[in-house]
Amino acid sequence: MIPKFRAWDKRRKEMWKVATLHIEDEYADLFKTNIYEKPFDNPWAKFEDLILMQSTGFKDNNDTEIFEGDVINIHWFYADFDPVELGAFENEEYAERVMVKKEFGNFGFWWEEADSWVDLATLAMSSRLGEESFEILGNIYADPELLS
């Protein structure tokens, strides 16, 4: 999978999609909606003026891609295991607001209740979480009040 990125422009205070990363020259080509719409009107920005965020590869319940820096609700399911079917009961227990970040080489979040790191991929596989389990509320740059 080719990694996808988006970028928070610190100068304009706007979120952009990233068309191309120019690593050697340290800048990115940006766009808002469709990369092929008036590409000559799309801006570029130096890396120092951007906060780059990589896609996690997951989508939320509205089919929106989840990126680093997104604040999401995770709808937890009661995790009693059935030894016959080797699966979890899927009774929703509660939703928890977390911020997605990349640590230890993986996307996930710090779970305050257990004071531990939770890897999204491992969580999705072990708990049978699907896209309906995630709901994007915003991101930490455009919506910093979500962390309060």
Side-chain angles (χ1 to χ4, degrees), residues 7 17-18 23 29 45 48 57 62 69 71 80 92 96 107 138 140:
K17 296 178 184 180
V18 175
I23 304 298
D29 294 322
E48 65 194 37
N62 295 311
V71 177
D80 255 353
E92 185 170 354
E96 183 173 4
F107 294 105
I140 60 172

Side-chain angles (χ1 to χ4, degrees), residues 90-110:
E90 295 190 7
N91 297 321
E92 185 170 354
E93 190 73 11
Y94 62 95
E96 183 173 4
R97 181 184 302 185
V98 297
M99 184 191 68
V100 176
K101 58 191 335 184
K102 189 174 189 176
E103 288 194 27
F104 312 111
N106 298 311
F107 294 105
F109 58 91
W110 281 100

Side-chain angles (χ1 to χ4, degrees), residues 111-131:
W111 185 22
E112 291 180 21
E113 186 174 308
D115 192 31
S116 62
W117 174 255
V118 178
D119 173 88
L120 279 180
T122 303
L123 177 67
M125 287 188 304
S126 65
S127 301
R128 291 187 179 180
L129 293 180
E131 292 175 352

